[in-house]
Amino acid sequence: MVTPRITVAKDGPASPPGTLRMTDDAPIREMFRDLRGHESRLRRPPPSGEGAMFVAEGERLVLRTIEAGHVPVALLVNTRSSTGIPDLGCPVIHLDPPAIQSLTGFGAVRDLLCLFRRPPDPRLDDVLPGARRVLALEGVATPSNVGTIMRSAMALGVDAVLMGPGSGDPLGRRALRTSMGAALLRRWACTDDILATCRTYGLSALALTPAADAVSITHELATRRDERVALIVGSEGPGLTPATLAGAAARVTIPMAEGVDSLNVGAASAIACNLLMAHDEE
């Protein structure tokens, strides 16, 4: 598909000054069509690293994505939004909220939706060498949890994030929105085997669990201050797999008040990241 080179304004009020109008905006519409139903085309790129895209929502995130060096492909603007339209140098289409919902399949309508070309996923060799403090996700599939964890990792200074089996896409639409673009700025990579990756790159794997017989994370980190550490967190409910719990160098837990058995994985990860980095600074 050839990307149109002029701005489009249809289905909305009069075009902004300087905006050109096309009689056929079908190519641009096709880019945004049924994104909710076909988000697989917005996920991992093919082996060639070409042809995939990701979507950013809202002016702040769109501009942050551009500042991070990513190339915009097309912009969809909500005609009822008061947000100023940034000049991104890409085709623009203006639609009202019902038209946006019908076209994309999204329930919530934001001021801007921008499609970007997606680069190949980072390689382990580009991310892990030299990383002292790593957070690893196993089976964390919920996009909002992935986004929250990525944002916490960036805010608290964790060196890198490993996306293990069953975990969501950091550049997925909702994860990227929740993280406010953390995956664009924080180093991350995917692995099919967290424990094997930790062994290969010389990281001590610590498995975070609410189990009563696990060691306090504060105590364990204090004993491993000179080691490079990867802290593994699992999904809510099932938690980490038995194989990961058995194969980790240690099972650690966040001490909690009596009667509380667990934390949301996003909250637990934020606390764990804080402790991880605090012990690194001592």
Side-chain angles (χ1 to χ4, degrees):
M1 180 186 301
V2 178
T3 302
R5 295 187 178 182
I6 64 177
T7 303
V8 177
K10 291 194 71 174
D11 294 338
S15 304
T19 298
L20 300 178
R21 183 179 291 274
M22 287 177 59
T23 56
D24 181 13
D25 62 7
I28 301 177
R29 287 176 179 269
E30 198 60 34
M31 295 180 193
F32 290 97
R33 188 173 305 283
D34 199 18
L35 290 181
R36 183 179 180 87
H38 296 86
E39 287 200 57
S40 60
R41 64 188 169 102
L42 297 174
R43 295 188 181 179
R44 303 280 166 27
S48 66
E50 300 176 355
M53 293 186 287
F54 68 95
V55 62
E57 298 177 290
E59 183 179 19
R60 286 184 61 195
L61 182 53
V62 168
L63 294 178
R64 182 170 295 180
T65 303
I66 292 172
E67 290 169 359
H70 296 275
V71 180
V73 175
L75 180 68
L76 189 157
V77 179
N78 181 350
T79 57
R80 298 183 187 175
S81 171
S82 60
T83 299
I85 304 173
D87 181 7
L88 307 184
C90 68
V92 180
I93 185 169
H94 301 259
L95 299 175
D96 60 26
I100 294 175
Q101 291 176 326
S102 176
L103 179 65
T104 65
F106 296 158
V109 177
R110 298 187 178 271
D111 51 352
L112 303 174
L113 290 176
C114 191
L115 289 173
F116 289 87
R117 299 193 187 283
R118 176 164 181 157
D121 283 356
R123 301 183 309 142
L124 292 170
D125 282 344
D126 296 329
V127 171
L128 291 184
R132 281 185 46 79
R133 296 294 181 257
V134 176
L135 187 65
L137 281 60
E138 179 185 81
V140 181
T142 304
S144 57
N145 284 335
V146 172
T148 297
I149 292 170
M150 291 295 297
R151 191 169 186 174
S152 296
M154 181 177 71
L156 296 168
V158 172
D159 296 321
V161 178
L162 273 180
M163 308 303 301
S167 292
D169 179 8
L171 289 184
R173 177 179 61 91
R174 287 183 292 166
L176 192 66
R177 184 181 72 216
T178 304
S179 74
M180 279 306 296
L184 306 171
L185 305 171
R186 179 57 49 194
R187 296 193 300 171
W188 61 274
C190 299
T191 178
D192 293 329
D193 189 327
I194 294 174
L195 293 179
T197 297
C198 288
R199 289 192 294 269
T200 298
Y201 289 91
L203 294 160
S204 298
L206 305 183
L208 187 65
T209 172
D213 60 347
V215 178
S216 165
I217 184 174
T218 302
H219 172 78
E220 191 66 27
L221 288 173
T223 65
R224 297 178 183 273
R225 186 175 291 113
D226 297 329
E227 298 179 26
R228 298 171 61 227
V229 172
L231 182 66
I232 312 173
V233 299
S235 64
E236 294 181 45
L240 296 173
T241 63
T244 296
L245 290 169
R251 296 182 306 133
V252 297
T253 191
I254 298 172
M256 288 177 281
E258 185 176 352
V260 180
D261 61 355
S262 64
L263 289 167
N264 165 274
V265 66
S269 296
I271 294 170
C273 285
N274 178 265
L275 295 172
L276 190 65
M277 299 314 296
H279 280 277
D280 194 41
E281 295 171 357
E282 291 179 357

